[in-house]
Amino acid sequence: MLALVAACGGDDGDGTTELNVLAATSLTDAFGAIEQAFETANPGVNVTMSFGGSSTLATQIQNGAPADVFASADEKNMDLITDLLFGDSSVFTTNELQIMVAPGNPRDIRSLADLTRTDVIVITAQPGVPIRTYTDDVLANAGVVANFRSFEANVGGIVTKITGGAADAGIVYRTDVIAAGSKAQGVRIPLDQNLVAQYPIGVLAASTNRRAADAFVAFVNGPGQSLLASYGFGDG
Amino acid sequence: MVLHGHVVVERNRFTLDASISVRAGETLAVLGPNGAGKTTLLRALAGLVPISAGSIELDGALLDDPDHDVFIVPERRPIGFVFQDYLLFPDMSVVENVAFGPRARGTNHEQALARASELLEWVGLGDHAEKRPDAISGGQAQRVALARAMAVSPRLLLLDEPLAALDVTTRRSVRSDLSRLLAGVDSARILVTHDPRDARALADRLMIIENGRVVQSGSFDDIAANPATPYVHELLGDFS
Amino acid sequence: MIDTNRRARRLRERPPAGVVALALLAIVFFALPFLGLLWKVPWSDVGRVLGKSEVRTALWLSIRTSVASALLAGFFGIPLAWLLARTNFPGRNFVRALCTMSMVLPPVVGGVALFFSFGRRGLFGQYLDQWFSFQLTFTVWGVIVAQTFVAMPFLVLTVEAAIRQADARYEDAARTLGATRSYVFRRITLPAIRPALLAGFVLAWARALGEFGATITFAGNFPGTTQTISIATFLALETDQRDALVLSVVMIATSFAVLLGLRDRWMGRTDGVGY
């Protein structure tokens, strides 16, 4: 049992520290860059990133997945594992919500109200996924009942179906629109209807590398901020 | 001359190269050791194996001629085939087996069954019509196979070792039954066998092949009197 | 003579211990996961979960689409199996590999491939959209296409093997009686491979029933149109594990009943050689 714990994290014989970070899918590109920068600044630490839907990751943590740090795309999934955290979580960045549409906006989607049109195929994610929670809240703010055609497993499913041309519109993060490049474009949601996605990060109580985990969280809150901004996170 | 053929089949180092002719109403027995090419010859005549050279002509119609790009598919050749082991369709009753040919050629169900019943009477199995092939004896299966092949009124009837699957005790009586039945068939007949007693009882003329080549042909008595090879001598020596 | 008989009987009574030990381990390996699942199932919730209208909707959709997929797999797969077994054309092995690849592909990859070919902007799907204003994605047809894509290889391989083993001389006999190749196929070949046909259909059906990766990737997920019981089960694992466990048990019970029934009812004697 001891050997298992040691293999899952902690100091290897040669002095490198293994750090397992579970992060929301929408953080994939930004945290990839942060991983590199962090490892350069901390030569003794080897970070392993694992990306997935925040709800999937929360379930994995509940089932005992070996992890040191969890970065969620919403507060709700962080709250699910709050008992398993060492200390409190803290919001490290934010993301804006946008309506993702095909390049050139061929369906002429200008506002949330357009998501009720029957000639527009609107999709979202299944209940429990952060983007779905945000989408429901935004639509409720605007008093709009969208005509959904599919509930994808995660935000990646929404992006793939829109960039692949199967669906016409869906609410995603601004960072997703930026990452999609020329394959999609974003329609901004008016500030009075929109809300800001809060990304909390926390160190898990089960972590055997608390110092390295703390250092990683500090890095994300410090030098990592400009990297996050370059991918479209924050106030932009 | 009903059948005139020069059959060349090349397969994996083995070449069959045999000229064969059969007259109307005649039974030709093809004898030879195992692997001589007897079955291949029948399969080529039936169109189950295309010939690589030569030609096959039946009743003046060309069936197979690679040089002139002629190949008539098996189902359009007026040839009946009684296979070794008889190959009765296991999922069909005896009468359905015999009716299969007429059915396949578009005859309606009732007429096909009527024709099949006639043929079963002819081979003496009228009261076995509804039995399954696994419920009849080897000798009966052979007669069903004969009736099935005759149901499409072939101009040429091929019989591949029709007695080989039977045990020694029943062989003699089945052979005489077959001889009697074949006498009533107006098609030309080719009988493949490795047993000279079959050839003597059933055939008008013999053709002997070894290693894919015809080594001797003629009447039984002539060949028995003047065997051309050691094999023929061994085979027919007792009869001379 | 007596000696060999006695020896044969003794062999039948005592199979080699090593073989039995490994076989028992294999059985335990298959049994344990199901026991693990059954142990966790909240049995008191079964009634509540099965009473949910969305569960019934998903179950009904799964039944319809998996049966449709199995039938489609047979309609196209049986001729394909015959072609692979009874004809010899250049590139046959290539074609077999191509047509069975979806069996080993991660289903999600298969779904993406379908998406880029039959999707609204896909290689062929774009014409469906242009000519008929129709797209498979988000429809029940998309579900059937995805399930057929992953299920058909199971039928093709089963049927091809059976056709290969069937005695081709019966087909020869039928042809000499005047039957065309297609008549022979219907009257001789198909009846001869009936057990394998049924096995192929059931394997394809079971695979279609369990499929979710290709389906959600290609067709999406919406109650009543594209949310099959497999997708519902998979997604419920993240939101409501109790529901997911109940759904898993329903699927296990269904598949187990069918596989059991298949062996006893349709495959003929089970103590004989082969099927």
Side-chain angles (χ1 to χ4, degrees):
Chain A
M1 197 58 201
L2 274 173
L4 196 68
V5 172
C8 291
D11 285 325
D12 284 354
D14 57 4
T16 54
T17 303
E18 296 289 332
L19 196 67
N20 288 317
V21 177
L22 305 186
T25 316
S26 47
L27 291 165
T28 305
D29 294 336
F31 264 39
I34 286 177
E35 176 190 352
Q36 283 203 337
F38 180 75
E39 283 175 347
T40 309
N42 301 274
V45 184
N46 180 31
V47 180
T48 304
M49 289 283 178
S50 182
F51 298 103
S54 299
S55 50
T56 310
L57 298 175
T59 308
Q60 287 176 5
I61 290 167
Q62 285 170 333
N63 288 334
D68 300 293
V69 177
F70 175 43
S72 170
D74 66 354
E75 300 267 22
K76 199 182 115 205
N77 281 295
M78 187 60 87
D79 290 345
L80 286 178
I81 56 127
T82 190
D83 296 346
L84 302 170
L85 285 178
F86 175 74
D88 291 330
S89 62
S90 60
V91 172
F92 67 95
T93 195
T94 57
N95 210 342
E96 184 196 326
L97 302 174
Q98 292 192 348
I99 306 170
M100 180 181 262
V101 298
N105 197 357
R107 301 278 174 183
D108 195 27
I109 292 153
R110 297 175 185 202
S111 69
L112 292 173
D114 285 323
L115 301 185
T116 61
R117 278 162 47 190
T118 50
D119 64 327
V120 175
I121 297 176
V122 188
I123 60 173
T124 187
Q126 63 153 335
V129 177
I131 194 66
R132 171 63 181 274
T133 311
Y134 292 132
T135 298
D136 285 346
D137 290 349
V138 165
L139 291 176
N141 282 348
V144 166
V145 180
N147 177 26
F148 290 122
R149 294 283 298 277
S150 182
F151 304 129
E152 300 295 320
N154 49 46
V155 68
I158 305 177
V159 171
T160 312
K161 292 252 180 2
I162 295 173
T163 56
D168 297 317
I171 293 175
V172 299
Y173 302 110
R174 180 177 64 191
T175 50
D176 294 318
V177 177
I178 291 170
S182 62
K183 288 191 282 185
Q185 74 181 58
V187 176
R188 296 196 74 159
I189 299 167
L191 279 176
D192 59 323
Q193 295 173 335
N194 208 349
L195 50 82
V196 176
Q198 311 273 337
Y199 282 63
I201 192 167
V203 174
L204 293 159
S207 171
T208 50
N209 304 291
R210 205 159 289 150
R211 276 178 58 183
D214 285 340
F216 184 81
V217 172
F219 190 86
V220 169
N221 280 315
Q225 288 296 307
S226 61
L227 284 168
L228 283 162
S230 70
Y231 284 93
F233 285 96
D235 298 334
Chain B
M1 201 65 72
V2 171
L3 173 79
H4 186 78
H6 176 209
V7 177
V8 180
V9 178
E10 284 168 33
R11 274 204 301 205
N12 313 328
R13 293 188 184 179
F14 173 80
T15 304
L16 169 71
D17 186 340
S19 288
I20 184 166
S21 299
V22 190
R23 284 182 289 271
E26 179 188 44
T27 302
L28 172 73
V30 177
L31 274 97
N34 286 336
K38 305 185 298 282
T39 297
T40 304
L41 175 65
L42 290 193
R43 290 177 63 81
L45 293 175
L48 297 171
V49 177
I51 60 174
S52 35
S55 68
I56 298 169
E57 204 183 299
L58 182 63
D59 274 346
L62 209 49
L63 297 183
D64 198 346
D65 187 347
D67 291 339
H68 295 91
D69 272 336
V70 174
F71 179 78
I72 306 295
V73 291
E75 60 266 31
R76 293 184 50 214
R77 298 186 182 199
I79 294 178
F81 205 140
V82 175
F83 290 82
Q84 193 172 0
D85 307 331
Y86 317 128
L87 302 179
L88 300 182
F89 305 131
D91 296 325
M92 302 179 197
S93 68
V94 162
V95 68
E96 283 170 330
N97 261 279
V98 181
F100 183 88
R103 287 291 289 148
R105 291 177 184 223
T107 308
N108 78 40
H109 198 223
E110 279 174 22
Q111 283 176 346
L113 284 179
R115 170 99 178 111
S117 301
E118 272 173 40
L119 283 155
L120 284 176
E121 293 295 340
W122 170 60
V123 297
L125 293 171
D127 49 349
H128 291 64
E130 298 305 326
K131 287 191 176 164
R132 295 274 142 182
D134 58 9
I136 57 177
S137 72
Q140 291 169 334
Q142 184 221 60
R143 282 184 277 158
V144 175
L146 176 66
R148 186 175 70 173
M150 291 310 295
V152 292
S153 309
R155 295 289 300 139
L156 174 66
L157 178 65
L158 309 174
L159 302 109
D160 189 3
E161 300 274 13
L163 298 153
L166 305 171
D167 62 58
V168 192
T169 51
T170 57
R171 211 159 168 165
R172 188 194 296 242
S173 72
V174 173
R175 188 188 290 128
S176 69
D177 284 348
L178 183 61
S179 172
R180 183 177 49 77
L181 289 170
L182 287 183
V185 168
D186 56 2
S187 337
R189 302 167 292 271
I190 300 175
L191 166 84
V192 153
T193 180
H194 64 276
D195 186 337
R197 284 166 299 179
D198 296 346
R200 190 162 70 162
L202 301 169
D204 304 306
R205 202 156 53 84
L206 268 61
M207 181 171 114
I208 296 171
I209 54 178
E210 284 178 53
N211 281 321
R213 297 287 187 283
V214 178
V215 294
Q216 198 167 9
S217 60
S219 74
F220 188 94
D221 293 336
D222 288 351
I223 294 177
N226 298 296
T229 69
Y231 166 75
V232 181
H233 179 75
E234 173 94 3
L235 189 69
L236 301 183
D238 296 343
F239 296 91
S240 62
Chain C
M1 192 64 186
I2 292 166
D3 264 6
T4 33
N5 270 343
R6 207 178 270 166
R7 193 175 144 73
R9 198 172 306 132
R10 209 180 314 141
L11 276 177
R12 213 167 30 236
E13 282 166 5
R14 272 210 184 170
V19 173
V20 172
L22 290 175
L24 283 176
L25 279 178
I27 294 169
V28 168
F29 177 68
F30 284 114
L32 274 183
F34 293 113
L35 290 178
L37 203 62
L38 294 178
W39 175 63
K40 275 282 188 184
V41 170
W43 294 103
S44 55
D45 283 4
V46 171
R48 177 186 60 80
V49 174
L50 293 183
K52 283 185 171 182
S53 72
E54 66 219 63
V55 168
R56 293 195 190 179
T57 307
L59 204 56
W60 177 228
L61 180 76
S62 270
I63 292 169
R64 283 181 299 151
T65 55
S66 58
V67 168
S69 300
L71 291 177
L72 266 182
F75 188 74
F76 295 105
I78 295 170
L80 175 60
W82 181 84
L83 201 70
L84 292 171
R86 281 283 188 260
T87 63
N88 201 350
F89 56 91
R92 189 182 54 183
N93 289 336
F94 177 84
V95 169
R96 185 188 295 107
L98 179 79
C99 296
T100 50
M101 201 154 49
S102 64
M103 209 169 66
V104 287
L105 223 54
V108 177
V109 175
V112 170
L114 286 172
F115 191 69
F116 289 138
S117 48
F118 295 108
R120 189 165 63 163
R121 298 281 172 271
L123 202 52
F124 303 107
Q126 57 180 311
Y127 300 106
L128 284 179
D129 183 48
Q130 277 173 27
W131 296 339
F132 310 108
S133 305
F134 175 74
Q135 79 159 331
L136 290 163
T137 308
F138 310 126
T139 69
V140 69
W141 301 109
V143 175
I144 293 172
V145 167
Q147 289 178 350
T148 307
F149 182 71
V150 293
M152 198 180 337
F154 290 87
L155 183 134
V156 171
L157 291 183
T158 311
V159 174
E160 189 202 341
I163 295 178
R164 272 181 193 287
Q165 280 171 21
D167 193 341
R169 295 180 310 153
Y170 286 102
E171 298 172 10
D172 290 343
R175 293 195 74 195
T176 65
L177 293 167
T180 59
R181 290 195 104 168
S182 66
Y183 191 85
V184 172
F185 179 66
R186 277 181 289 126
R187 293 294 310 279
I188 304 297
T189 316
L190 287 186
I193 59 164
R194 209 163 23 206
L197 273 181
L198 275 161
F201 269 115
V202 169
L203 282 176
W205 170 80
R207 184 68 191 83
L209 185 73
E211 156 57 33
F212 74 86
T215 311
I216 192 169
T217 311
F218 176 57
N221 167 48
F222 194 82
T225 32
T226 52
Q227 187 176 77
T228 60
I229 195 74
S230 302
I231 292 179
T233 307
F234 171 68
L235 295 181
L237 274 173
E238 287 173 12
T239 50
D240 193 334
Q241 269 201 23
R242 295 168 71 89
D243 284 21
L245 287 170
V246 172
L247 294 180
S248 308
V249 167
V250 171
M251 293 193 67
I252 288 171
T254 316
S255 324
F256 200 63
V258 169
L259 291 175
L260 214 60
L262 171 82
R263 247 352 241 182
D264 289 350
R265 294 260 294 280
W266 300 321
M267 308 278 276
R269 294 167 61 84
T270 53
D271 54 351
V273 181
Y275 288 114

